Every structure is written in structure tokens, then in C-alpha cells.
Amino acid sequence: MLLCRRSEVRHLQSAVRMPEITTDHLDEKQVQLLAEKCILIDDNDRKTGADTKKNCHLNSNIDKGLLHRAFSVFIFNSEEKLLLQQRSDAKITFPGCFTNTCCSHPLHTDSEMEEKDAIGVRRAAQRRLKAELGIPMDQVTPEEMTYLTRIHYKAQSDGVWGEHEIDYILFMQKDVELSPDPNEIKSHCYVSKEELKEMLNKAKRKELEITPWFSLIAETFLFNWWENLQNLKQFMDHDNIHRM
């Protein structure tokens, strides 16, 4: 029988330990944002605690069920065209992908955890619209955002990073001033329904990349909502979470 001394056992255990995730090769500004605290939730969107943005986006934690709260903003101009952004190549998840106007997370702060009428999420959206697109905060007040519903999805970006979120869908129609941060956004554009459909077709042909959450929303709900921008109340569903 082969016997190992305790020191040898410890050595063998350390030899099979998973390697530490390094961020040395990633963009410095984006790495700093990984320290922000996201709101942890259960499958029914009930708060369970907080963890760093880094831990929330590691596939190794997502595989164990770690779930956090997020939002997706859709801003339409007076011509009813949708503002899209292309995520910068510096982004840690889904770099270079086209997506809706703004996608991010409310933080684990008193202001952004407030749940009545999703006011905390809407405040977070106002903050990120300023940070990413440079939209003056007085042009995107929480009161002007329509909270429609929530979706629950999971997606891997690469072998290390991914997303597992319950995503609040926020709509707004307004002409806004833009001054995008190049560290966040590679490009931006306004598109018609027909132009977005062509982009979705190009994505299927692997001619461009679209974020998985935007693709899911576009393929299921978006165009029906878009047709009814002046009558969105019929689509407001704050009781159910769409599992996608």
C-alpha cells in the first residue's frame, strides 16, 4: 500500500487546484470596474446578497448558479429608430458585439437596490447612459423610462467569462445628445426595423456579432413592442420573468 505523509498530500492537493483567474491581459479601466458590487438574486429576482462584478461573470461561478440583476435600455429617437451600440474591444464580455442602447447592472447600493417600480434599476440605467454614451443625465431621467418586463438568460462569452442575469427591459423615446466613451463603445448607430432585421440576418451568416441577450429579445419581443411605442402599457408585465 502506498502511504503519503501529510506534507505530500498537501502538495498533491495543491497540484490539482484550479489556476487563479488573471486579469493582467485585460483593459485596465475595465478591470477596475470588476470590483463593483452587483446585486445577487435567486431565480425569482429576490435579493440574496452582493458580489463583485468579476465573480458574477466567471463561468465557474455561473455554473454553480450565481445569478445577478441587470438591465437593458432601448432608446428610440423621434423617427422611431433604435439606438444601437457596438461594444468596445476593451470589454471583458462580448467585445465588439452589437447590442441595444445600453446594458449594465444596478449596484449593491441603497439607491440602486430600491425596488418600488424598479426605481433603483432605472437610476442605474441613467448612470450608465451617462457613463457609456455621454447622455446628459437630465435627458434620461428615471421617470421617462418605461419598465416593461424581465428576462432570465445565461450565455458564455468565452472559456472564462459569461453572463447569468435577470434583465430588466427599459424603453424610452427621445432625441438625446451623444458623446460616447471609446473605452465602452466602438461605434453607435440608429436603425430602422428593416435595418435591424438585416443585421440579425448578417449575424446568422456570421458577418457580424450580436450579444446573446439582444438577439433573444429581438427574436421574441422587440418588433412587437417597437410597433406599439405609443402604447407600451399593454406589454407591461412586472409579475412574470421570461425564462430564455
Side-chain angles (χ1 to χ4, degrees), residues 11 32 40 48 53 88 93 112 114 127 130 137 168 196 200 221 231 241:
H11 175 74
Q32 290 175 355
L40 296 183
T48 61
K53 183 179 175 184
S88 80
T93 58
E112 296 187 7
E114 190 173 342
R127 171 178 57 81
K130 170 63 175 175
M137 293 182 75
Y168 284 64
L196 179 56
L200 293 169
F221 302 115
N231 186 27
I241 300 171

Side-chain angles (χ1 to χ4, degrees), residues 150-154 213 215-217 220-221 242-244:
R150 294 167 290 177
I151 69 167
H152 179 184
Y153 79 97
K154 182 193 295 187
W213 62 87
S215 180
L216 286 169
I217 295 166
T220 52
F221 302 115
H242 302 279
R243 312 292 178 179
M244 308 178 78

Side-chain angles (χ1 to χ4, degrees), residues 192-229:
S192 65
K193 299 181 191 72
E194 293 72 24
E195 288 167 334
L196 179 56
K197 288 175 182 177
E198 178 56 28
M199 290 181 71
L200 293 169
N201 287 331
K202 285 183 176 180
K204 291 175 182 176
R205 299 193 298 265
K206 308 297 184 183
E207 295 173 14
L208 57 80
E209 291 184 296
I210 291 177
T211 60
W213 62 87
F214 182 44
S215 180
L216 286 169
I217 295 166
E219 296 286 357
T220 52
F221 302 115
L222 178 58
F223 291 101
N224 193 23
W225 293 337
W226 200 338
E227 288 285 352
N228 294 274
L229 278 182

